[in-house]
Amino acid sequence: MTPGSNGASTPEDDDPFGYLYADGQANGAQPPSGGYGYPNSVNRVRPVGTRQYGAPQQQGTQTAAFGQAAPPQQGAYGQPQGAYGQPNAHYAAPETFPGGGGGSHTGSPQSGHGGGGGRRGPNTKGLLIGAVAVVAAVVIGIAVAMTSSGSDDDKGGDEAGGDPTAGQSQTTEPSASASDGAEEEVELPGVDAKTLRLSPGVTTASDVKGAEADGGVYVTGFNQVGAKVTWTVNGIEKAGSYRLNVRYGIPGVDADATLVINGKASSRPLNMKNFGGTPQGDWEKGWQTTWANVNLTKGTNTIELACNEGNKCDVAFDQFSLSTD
């Protein structure tokens, strides 16, 4: 008898853990069949790959006794699975595939990493190709949209709000309103004094040089009371104030005459002073010019110079003309 053993059915046989020891096994100790707190009451550790999720386990699956080799299990997809820690007959090391260790083989989602020592990463090449394809599709879509928008914009001239003159030639001719707004300068009439209507006693001469009228002819004999020279002016297009210009000659002394417009005498005589300060008695150097404002009506007007009482009438007349103020 082994020391410490009192034979079968002794207290050591009641040790629930007696099967763990050599003497207990020698005495025929068996692991309990189950119950709270006993090893058989918990799930056994399964070898890697033997659990099948979502599929029922095959009947007849046996659980190996503690310390005993487990019987072969039915692996996933109908393939037998070896015991935990035992080599799988269907597994082959990467180096046994064509191309050597760390290389890729058909159907393998893994690749060598860091010299073939670890798992292969995700298929980055495929992801890159997919990303490039998506970007290309987006670029093509944008290009098509821009092309369509551009073709619609080309029709803007025909749509409401578009410029109907787009593409048409433009003229640079001045508008009629611009030309109408600018007043054209009208050439006013002028005459030689010899063409005026002369009263009796008033005559023409050309012996004194310096007259600008045609042929140097001027009007003389005005130095008597009642003498008159009359100019009938035709073609006045607009009524208003005008300037009467008179070129005259004096013998170095002042002169004047009564101005009569359309039969009405002016309140002020036409002043014909010796503005040039020419020597007295020198007719040839005494040719000068004076002017006075006159109001004329549209159409025909008469302008008259008369030698009345109180006028100084020792003067000769060369030319008459009208101008604007």
Side-chain angles (χ1 to χ4, degrees):
M1 177 179 300
T2 306
S5 173
N6 297 322
S9 301
T10 56
E12 57 264 22
D13 292 334
D14 294 336
D15 186 359
F17 301 103
Y19 68 94
L20 297 175
Y21 311 105
D23 55 353
Q25 293 178 9
N27 293 328
Q30 296 293 329
S33 61
Y36 181 80
Y38 289 94
N40 286 348
S41 65
V42 298
N43 291 331
R44 298 294 183 182
V45 177
R46 295 176 182 269
V48 175
T50 61
R51 180 178 297 275
Q52 300 180 17
Y53 294 94
Q57 296 183 357
Q58 296 182 356
Q59 295 182 358
T61 303
Q62 299 179 2
T63 303
F66 185 85
Q68 302 297 323
Q73 300 286 335
Q74 187 68 19
Y77 304 104
Q79 302 296 328
Q81 176 68 37
Y84 181 80
Q86 299 298 325
N88 192 328
H90 296 277
Y91 173 81
E95 58 269 14
T96 63
F97 289 98
S104 62
H105 59 85
T106 304
S108 174
Q110 300 178 357
S111 62
H113 180 73
R119 291 177 175 270
R120 297 181 61 185
N123 191 352
T124 56
K125 182 176 182 181
L127 295 176
L128 180 59
I129 293 174
V132 171
V134 172
V135 173
V138 172
V139 171
I140 292 173
I142 294 174
V144 171
M146 292 179 65
T147 303
S148 301
S149 177
S151 61
D152 292 340
D153 293 342
D154 293 340
K155 302 176 183 178
D158 298 333
E159 297 174 355
D163 185 4
T165 62
Q168 299 180 3
S169 60
Q170 302 290 333
T171 60
T172 58
E173 297 178 359
S175 61
S177 60
S179 59
D180 292 341
E183 295 184 0
E184 296 181 359
E185 185 176 355
V186 178
E187 184 177 357
L188 295 173
V191 294
D192 290 340
K194 64 181 180 179
T195 62
L196 301 178
R197 187 173 70 246
L198 306 178
S199 64
V202 180
T203 187
T204 61
S206 59
D207 52 332
V208 177
K209 297 184 181 300
E212 295 181 356
D214 184 24
V217 179
Y218 53 92
V219 173
T220 188
F222 189 75
N223 54 348
Q224 52 184 325
V225 174
K228 297 179 181 179
V229 295
T230 306
W231 179 26
T232 302
V233 183
N234 298 314
I236 300 299
E237 296 182 357
K238 183 179 180 180
S241 177
Y242 294 86
R243 178 177 291 182
L244 172 64
N245 302 295
V246 176
R247 190 167 190 271
Y248 64 95
I250 53 176
V253 294
D254 295 338
D256 58 40
T258 302
L259 179 60
V260 180
I261 305 296
N262 295 324
K264 182 179 180 181
S266 175
S267 59
R268 297 178 60 182
L270 178 64
N271 190 359
M272 293 177 284
K273 290 184 177 181
N274 184 16
F275 298 109
T278 59
Q280 186 174 359
D282 189 346
W283 285 87
E284 187 172 338
K285 294 182 179 179
W287 295 106
Q288 302 177 52
T289 301
T290 189
W291 61 272
N293 289 328
V294 295
N295 292 320
L296 303 179
T297 61
K298 182 178 179 180
T300 301
N301 295 264
T302 58
I303 299 175
E304 179 182 280
L305 289 178
C307 182
N308 294 332
E309 292 289 343
N311 292 136
K312 302 174 183 178
C313 301
D314 195 6
V315 60
F317 298 107
D318 184 13
Q319 293 176 324
F320 286 18
S321 66
L322 289 174
S323 64
T324 57
D325 291 341

